[in-house]
Amino acid sequence: MVSHMRLQYYRHKYCLVCMTGSLGCRWHRYKQSTRDSRKRDLIGFAFLLITFLFYVFLLYCILMMKNDFITLNWFFFDKTGKWLPIYTIFLAVVCVIFVYLFILLCLCLCHLLVGHQLYIHKVHTGLIVLFVGFCVAMVVAIEEMWSQEWAVVWLSLKIFGPYLQVGAVSLMTLMSWLIARQWFTLSSTYWQFFGLLFYLAVMTGLYIAPLFIKSPCVINIKQLPPKPKLMAHRGASAIAPENTLASFHRANEFNVQGFETDIRISLDGVPFILHDSTFLRTTNIEKIFPSLQNEDASNFNMSQIKQLNAGLWFMEEDPMSTIDDISLEKQLVYSNQSIPTLTDLLEYMKSSNKSLMFDIREPPEDHPYRDSIINQTIEAIQQSQVRPEYIWWLTEALETAPANFTSVAAKQYYPSDVMQNNSVSRLNVMFNVLSSDNIIEYNSNNISVNIYLVNENWLFSLYWCMGVPSVTTDNCHTLSALQTPIFHLSPRNYLILWITVDIMSALLVITAFIVQRILWSGSEYSPERVAINSSASVNDHGSHKMSRSSHRQNRRQMKEKLILKDIVSDFFDEDSETHEDDYGIESNYTVQSTDGLEMARSFQRASAYSKDFQRQGITSTGSFQGTSGYQKSHDGQGVRNSFQRASGYQSEADSQGSSLSHPGTSGYQSSLDGQGVINSFQRASGYQSEANGQGTSLSLQGTSGYQSSLDEQGARNSFQRASGYQSEADGQGTSLSLQDTSGYQNCPDGQKTAGSFQRASVSGYQSDVDVKEVKEIPDSFKKLPGPKSSIDGNLEISSQVP
């Protein structure tokens, strides 16, 4: 059978269209370039990768800073006067940008994986630059307003370090396939060397990173310190209105050690519980006293303070995003809370045997009780008859607590011997003050350390493993439920995990490079090679197999030129099966070949061809060398003609009379008109021939060097190609001669002869003679039953036509 294959064929690849369209706005198929990525494309990809890693870091920091997110909201409330979930807004924005950059990065990696040009549209580039500016602004803002939170990020590495190392190794291992593929495409040995060196340095650093990770949570369960006790920060402020009796009652349900709160004094000298300097955030003062909403809280007397609702704001604002977990009964209770006095809280403490740690907030300078606020507080505590050791009095510079209260050093690290010399046995500091060694030092000297503010389970687990005796928290309801530290590993299990992951990673990386080396062995990277090889699949017989959809007329054609000087593709099908059909020629001509089957194998080849053409003046010599056994012949007139096959020849002639065509697997065609003899052979890769109706003209255009000649009396055509055809024409009429070992013969006609020759194989040449122009055909190319034929000197057929 004859098969014709297009040089380029492109299927509908919708995923590829979406990929190139989303990244580079290249929605049309012909825009999907497989050329090498330009330098600016690679620079854009590097900039995208750096931006993505920057946002990975920023997102990780913000997630870790959730431990203290309420302070960020307070900061913006103090600046704007409105309660807004600033942390949630920032987190949402960063997550959206992170997802966007992640999608862009995945699209870039997919382009690299399929071998397409890495083109990032200008809109994406502009957004990336904008996001870099936003990220830098975020980091600067955190440094200026929330710098203590960087300590949380550092602490998180102590507990998440082992897992981050495993994740990083796994990710780089998955990327090794693409990295190895790109490494083999590098044309410069210099870049290959430094690229491999950089990759090995990164992988080696990840493999040995656990040697430098000292996580307190890598500890045997038998050596685990006691669970830290909880100090309820302003009560159970995550699930109840802060600094209200309902909040302290709720905290007591979770078996806390004590309460942490803030004390202010009213205009009439009564100590009360409040953190802020005004009532604006935690009460409904804008409705009760709208003209005094920004007034200092200490400038109100107690009768005015009792009129304010201290719980309704919690139900309306939901500052901790916990309202959905609160029952309707408790919500009703919380909505009707007032600001308690210190005496109210002490009375509840006495019945619950809880400790109380507080900060005293000084009133304005013109307040009548500014200098006596401490005395008023001591007097209220003594009147409540609470045991002095239950009162944790925060001091600065290791001052002694009054009235035999428990002295608690605050704000900074003090050496153990200094604290012992000042009879101070407790320390209350923020999480960014002490190191692991400091905590070990205090524990060995029987100094109790309290850390604030610890709200997240991971941070509580870290301090649990460090051996901290107590922490101050808003989330006493969640921390009290922990039975063991999270992300806890024994040293033996961690060692097994570390070694197993590293070994498996190294094996997979080596395998990826070996497989890529095999795939690229003996090949030179060429995007055009990838494109043309993907256009057709080869079946078991070595022929190109095209899908049915390739013949649809509505398919758009690719407009790119693919020039491959070092690739010879197979364009012909060779039927290796034995056919029982007659291999003779089906029209009137004579067979000269000794074997009809031998004729069926001409112009067929499935491997590389080599050709050599020499042209010297008028004489042309063509040679074609290949395993298919092409032959060449030349006449004695000095014209050496050769026909050479590269893909398939076609020719057309202006026909007023007869036409001659040669269909075959290699696709030769020829035609004659009635006025003379026009033979043309045209190749599908760019040969052309034309003839007019008055005489005979023949033009063959192509790189293979076809030649033709005509005389003015008749027609003289010569074609040169390595299969060895020859033709001659005399001046009186037309005679065609074909000399070839494949067994072609010619018959002349003295008046006017139209000759046709046909190949005796499945590639079979056929010819037709226009009966209108050829009045007589004395003897024309008749098929013989036997393999032999001859022509006598009088141009008569020596054999009979069957």
Side-chain angles (χ1 to χ4, degrees):
M1 295 296 294
V2 178
S3 65
H4 300 279
M5 188 194 73
R6 295 175 181 174
L7 180 60
Q8 298 175 2
Y9 165 67
Y10 292 86
R11 300 179 180 177
H12 285 301
K13 298 180 179 180
Y14 299 106
C15 292
L16 190 61
V17 170
C18 292
M19 183 181 71
T20 56
S22 300
L23 182 64
C25 201
R26 293 179 171 181
W27 296 101
H28 296 285
R29 182 176 52 196
Y30 64 84
K31 292 183 179 181
Q32 298 170 5
S33 175
T34 56
R35 60 179 293 179
D36 288 330
S37 297
R38 299 166 297 183
K39 289 184 178 180
R40 61 180 178 181
D41 296 328
L42 297 177
I43 293 174
F45 173 72
F47 185 68
L48 171 62
L49 181 60
I50 294 173
T51 304
F52 175 76
L53 295 177
F54 203 174
Y55 268 89
V56 169
F57 169 75
L58 181 61
L59 180 60
Y60 177 80
C61 292
I62 293 179
L63 290 176
M64 296 301 104
M65 292 174 183
K66 185 184 177 183
N67 175 79
D68 206 22
F69 77 95
I70 194 67
T71 59
L72 181 65
N73 294 344
W74 290 337
F75 176 85
F76 278 90
F77 176 81
D78 293 338
K79 298 297 182 181
T80 62
K82 295 182 179 180
W83 181 259
L84 296 173
I86 298 299
Y87 174 84
T88 304
I89 295 174
F90 281 170
L91 179 61
V93 171
V94 173
C95 286
V96 170
I97 297 175
F98 173 81
V99 172
Y100 170 77
L101 294 175
F102 178 76
I103 293 174
L104 284 186
L105 186 63
C106 290
L107 290 174
C108 290
L109 294 178
C110 290
H111 275 72
L112 294 175
L113 189 62
V114 300
H116 272 236
Q117 181 189 5
L118 190 61
Y119 177 77
I120 303 176
H121 196 265
K122 295 181 179 178
V123 174
H124 293 313
T125 304
L127 289 176
I128 293 172
V129 174
L130 180 64
F131 294 153
V132 169
F134 175 77
C135 189
V136 172
M138 285 283 293
V139 172
V140 173
I142 293 174
E143 176 63 28
E144 293 294 327
M145 301 180 300
W146 215 17
S147 59
Q148 69 273 11
E149 295 301 315
W150 296 123
V152 176
V153 178
W154 173 250
L155 289 172
S156 68
L157 297 179
K158 293 181 176 293
I159 189 170
F160 293 118
Y163 304 95
L164 292 176
Q165 184 264 344
V166 172
V169 170
S170 302
L171 180 61
M172 292 299 294
T173 303
L174 292 176
M175 292 292 296
S176 62
W177 178 265
L178 181 58
I179 293 173
R181 183 181 184 276
Q182 294 302 310
W183 186 81
F184 280 106
T185 62
L186 294 175
S187 58
S188 172
T189 306
Y190 174 83
W191 287 111
Q192 281 188 330
F193 173 77
F194 282 98
L196 183 62
L197 185 64
F198 177 77
Y199 180 71
L200 292 178
V202 172
M203 295 303 297
T204 303
L206 291 176
Y207 289 155
I208 65 175
L211 295 176
F212 307 97
I213 297 176
K214 297 180 180 180
S215 175
C217 290
V218 179
I219 187 175
N220 289 320
I221 193 65
K222 295 180 179 180
Q223 300 175 348
L224 190 67
K227 181 180 178 179
K229 296 179 181 180
L230 303 178
M231 296 292 291
H233 184 237
R234 306 171 196 172
S237 56
I239 55 176
E242 65 179 63
N243 283 328
T244 60
L245 289 179
S247 179
F248 295 118
H249 280 266
R250 192 78 173 97
N252 190 45
E253 296 177 6
F254 302 105
N255 194 28
V256 297
Q257 182 184 17
F259 310 126
E260 191 277 339
T261 189
D262 306 276
I263 297 177
R264 293 185 180 274
I265 194 165
S266 66
L267 191 61
D268 52 358
V270 179
F272 64 94
I273 307 301
L274 184 70
H275 175 269
D276 297 1
S277 60
T278 68
F279 294 112
L280 184 60
R281 180 176 67 90
T282 58
T283 68
N284 61 343
I285 190 173
E286 68 277 4
K287 296 180 180 179
I288 305 300
F289 306 109
S291 61
L292 300 175
Q293 60 182 0
N294 293 320
E295 188 67 29
D296 193 282
S298 296
N299 292 331
F300 291 80
N301 57 44
M302 203 61 216
S303 60
Q304 293 174 314
I305 294 174
K306 285 296 184 179
Q307 298 179 39
L308 302 177
N309 189 317
L312 187 60
W313 74 276
F314 184 84
M315 305 306 301
E316 293 175 349
E317 301 293 344
D318 189 16
M320 309 296 285
S321 302
T322 56
I323 294 299
D324 294 338
D325 299 330
I326 300 174
S327 64
L328 294 177
E329 181 182 358
K330 284 186 171 58
Q331 291 183 20
L332 182 61
V333 174
Y334 296 163
S335 300
N336 294 278
Q337 292 295 307
S338 61
I339 297 177
T341 63
L342 177 59
T343 303
D344 295 335
L345 179 57
L346 292 172
E347 289 296 328
Y348 178 70
M349 279 182 53
K350 187 170 61 174
S351 61
S352 60
N353 293 325
K354 302 298 180 182
S355 299
L356 178 64
M357 180 171 60
F358 53 85
D359 287 314
I360 296 179
R361 307 293 181 176
E362 293 183 352
E365 294 182 358
D366 57 350
H367 195 278
Y369 291 94
R370 177 177 174 82
D371 297 331
S372 61
I373 183 174
I374 295 178
N375 295 330
Q376 294 291 333
T377 301
I378 296 173
E379 182 180 353
I381 294 173
Q382 291 176 341
Q383 289 178 357
S384 66
Q385 298 181 353
V386 174
R387 296 174 59 180
E389 61 268 22
Y390 287 166
I391 303 299
W392 293 5
W393 192 279
L394 295 175
T395 64
E396 296 182 6
L398 300 179
E399 298 175 353
T400 303
N404 296 323
F405 298 149
T406 301
S407 297
V408 180
K411 296 184 177 180
Q412 63 181 358
Y413 163 77
Y414 297 97
S416 299
D417 55 349
V418 175
M419 294 183 66
Q420 290 175 343
N421 293 335
N422 289 273
S423 301
V424 177
S425 60
R426 289 186 179 275
L427 179 68
N428 181 62
V429 292
M430 197 174 181
F431 52 74
N432 62 340
V433 174
L434 300 182
S435 65
S436 300
D437 295 335
N438 297 146
I439 294 174
I440 295 174
E441 175 190 351
Y442 285 138
N443 288 339
S444 61
N445 290 279
N446 295 323
I447 297 176
S448 179
V449 177
N450 183 78
I451 302 294
Y452 71 93
L453 186 63
V454 178
N455 287 329
E456 293 298 305
N457 290 351
W458 68 265
L459 188 57
F460 179 75
S461 299
L462 177 64
Y463 282 118
W464 185 346
C465 297
M466 286 183 177
V468 172
S470 64
V471 297
T472 300
T473 180
D474 294 321
N475 297 329
C476 52
H477 63 294
T478 58
L479 301 186
S480 62
L482 291 180
Q483 301 301 320
T484 57
I486 62 173
F487 304 108
H488 169 263
L489 282 174
S490 66
R492 179 176 178 273
N493 292 339
Y494 178 51
L495 182 62
I496 294 174
L497 176 64
W498 169 28
I499 295 177
T500 301
V501 171
D502 285 0
I503 292 177
M504 293 297 297
S505 172
L507 292 176
L508 291 175
V509 169
I510 294 173
T511 302
F513 273 84
I514 292 176
V515 173
Q516 288 291 349
R517 177 66 180 87
I518 295 174
L519 293 177
W520 289 96
S521 178
S523 301
E524 182 178 356
Y525 174 70
S526 173
E528 288 79 7
R529 183 195 302 272
V530 177
I532 195 170
N533 289 342
S534 62
S535 65
S537 58
V538 181
N539 59 14
D540 295 337
H541 298 288
S543 62
H544 292 276
K545 184 178 181 181
M546 307 295 294
S547 64
R548 297 180 181 178
S549 61
S550 65
H551 303 291
R552 297 176 182 175
Q553 295 181 356
N554 59 352
R555 181 65 58 87
R556 295 183 181 178
Q557 297 299 316
M558 184 68 174
K559 296 183 179 180
E560 294 185 47
K561 285 186 178 182
L562 302 179
I563 301 175
L564 296 176
K565 296 182 179 180
D566 58 342
I567 298 178
V568 179
S569 301
D570 301 332
F571 294 97
F572 294 95
D573 296 336
E574 178 175 348
D575 192 353
S576 60
E577 299 179 358
T578 303
H579 296 274
E580 298 178 0
D581 299 337
D582 186 7
Y583 288 95
I585 302 175
E586 298 177 358
S587 62
N588 295 328
Y589 65 94
T590 305
V591 178
Q592 187 179 358
S593 174
T594 59
D595 190 357
L597 294 176
E598 187 66 21
M599 299 169 61
R601 295 295 183 261
S602 63
F603 293 95
Q604 298 178 1
R605 187 171 178 273
S607 62
Y609 300 98
S610 62
K611 59 183 178 179
D612 180 18
F613 296 96
Q614 298 178 355
R615 300 184 58 183
Q616 300 176 357
I618 302 177
T619 303
S620 300
T621 304
S623 62
F624 191 88
Q625 299 176 357
T627 58
S628 305
Y630 293 94
Q631 297 178 355
K632 66 179 180 178
S633 63
H634 59 85
D635 58 11
Q637 301 299 325
V639 180
R640 297 183 179 183
N641 303 327
S642 61
F643 286 86
Q644 184 175 8
R645 169 194 178 266
S647 59
Y649 301 95
Q650 295 178 350
S651 65
E652 298 178 358
D654 184 310
S655 177
Q656 297 180 3
S658 61
S659 63
L660 182 69
S661 62
H662 298 270
T665 56
S666 54
Y668 295 96
Q669 294 181 352
S670 64
S671 62
L672 295 89
D673 62 4
Q675 302 300 326
V677 180
I678 300 174
N679 296 330
S680 62
F681 291 83
Q682 185 176 6
R683 180 175 180 270
S685 57
Y687 299 101
Q688 298 176 353
S689 65
E690 299 176 357
N692 58 20
Q694 301 301 324
T696 304
S697 65
L698 180 70
S699 63
L700 294 174
Q701 300 176 358
T703 59
S704 302
Y706 294 95
Q707 296 180 354
S708 63
S709 61
L710 301 169
D711 61 7
E712 295 181 356
Q713 301 298 326
R716 179 171 305 214
N717 302 329
S718 63
F719 299 89
Q720 298 181 356
R721 199 60 175 158
S723 52
Y725 298 98
Q726 296 179 353
S727 63
E728 299 181 27
D730 61 9
Q732 301 299 324
T734 304
S735 67
L736 301 175
S737 64
L738 297 173
Q739 298 177 0
D740 188 22
T741 58
S742 302
Y744 296 95
Q745 201 178 19
N746 67 331
C747 291
D749 183 2
Q751 303 295 327
K752 182 182 290 187
T753 303
S756 64
F757 54 94
Q758 183 177 8
R759 185 177 174 219
S761 66
V762 291
S763 58
Y765 297 92
Q766 296 178 353
S767 64
D768 297 325
V769 179
D770 190 341
V771 297
K772 294 181 180 180
E773 294 297 330
V774 182
K775 304 300 183 180
E776 274 184 10
I777 305 178
D779 294 309
S780 62
F781 299 95
K782 301 177 181 180
K783 181 181 180 183
L784 299 180
K788 298 181 180 180
S789 63
S790 62
I791 303 176
D792 59 10
N794 295 321
L795 301 179
E796 295 180 354
I797 306 300
S798 62
S799 300
Q800 297 181 355
V801 179

